[in-house]
C-alpha cells in the first residue's frame, strides 16, 4: 500500500519533471545547433529544466522551490526503480546462464572410471 501511495504522491511532480526534461532537451538542441560548448549546452538544459518546473510549480502547487525539489525527487525515484529492475533482470539472466552452462558442462564432461 505504501508503494501505491508513493506513486500517487509522485504523479504530478513526475509530470512536471517530464515537462522540464522536454524543454531542457529542446534548450540542449538549440545550444548544440549554435555550436556552443558542452558546458554551455548542459547549463542551458539544466536552466531550462529548472525554470520550467518552477513555472509549472508556481501555477499548480504555489511554491516553485518545493515543485523543483518534488519533481527532481520523483524523477530520481523512477530512475532508481528502473535501475533496480534492470539489475534484477541482469542478475536473473546471469543465474540462468550459470545453471544452463553448469548443466551443459555436466552433460559434455568425459566419463571417468
Amino acid at each position: 500500500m505504501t508503494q501505491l501511495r508513493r506513486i500517487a504522491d509522485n504523479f504530478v511532480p513526475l509530470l512536471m519533471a517530464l515537462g522540464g526534461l522536454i524543454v531542457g532537451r529542446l534548450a540542449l538542441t538549440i545550444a548544440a545547433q549554435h555550436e556552443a560548448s558542452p558546458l554551455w549546452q548542459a547549463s542551458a538544459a539544466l536552466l531550462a529544466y529548472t525554470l520550467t518546473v518552477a513555472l509549472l510549480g508556481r501555477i499548480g502547487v504555489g511554491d516553485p522551490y518545493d515543485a523543483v525539489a518534488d519533481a527532481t525527487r520523483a524523477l530520481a525515484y523512477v530512475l532508481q526503480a528502473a535501475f533496480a529492475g534492470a539489475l534484477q533482470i541482469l542478475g536473473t539472466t546471469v543465474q540462468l546462464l550459470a545453471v544452463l552452462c553448469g548443466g551443459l558442462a555436466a552433460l559434455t564432461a568425459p566419463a571417468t572410471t
Side-chain angles (χ1 to χ4, degrees):
M1 187 66 178
T2 59
Q3 190 170 5
L4 184 63
R5 179 70 180 160
R6 188 181 307 171
I7 291 171
D9 288 343
N10 288 333
F11 184 70
V12 173
L14 191 59
L15 287 178
M16 289 182 190
L18 182 63
L21 287 175
I22 291 170
V23 174
R25 175 67 179 148
L26 179 66
L28 181 77
T29 304
I30 291 171
Q33 287 175 349
H34 289 288
E35 297 177 357
S37 71
L39 183 63
W40 279 98
Q41 292 176 17
S43 298
L46 184 63
L47 182 65
Y49 168 80
T50 305
L51 290 177
T52 302
V53 173
L55 176 66
L56 291 173
R58 182 78 176 150
I59 292 170
V61 178
D63 187 13
Y65 298 115
D66 286 342
V68 172
D70 290 343
T72 306
R73 187 179 310 117
L75 190 61
Y77 172 71
V78 167
L79 289 175
Q80 176 192 5
F83 284 139
L87 285 176
Q88 195 169 18
I89 290 172
L90 181 66
T92 305
T93 305
V94 168
Q95 287 177 347
L96 180 65
L97 284 174
V99 167
L100 287 176
C101 291
L104 289 176
L107 290 176
T108 60
T112 59
T113 57

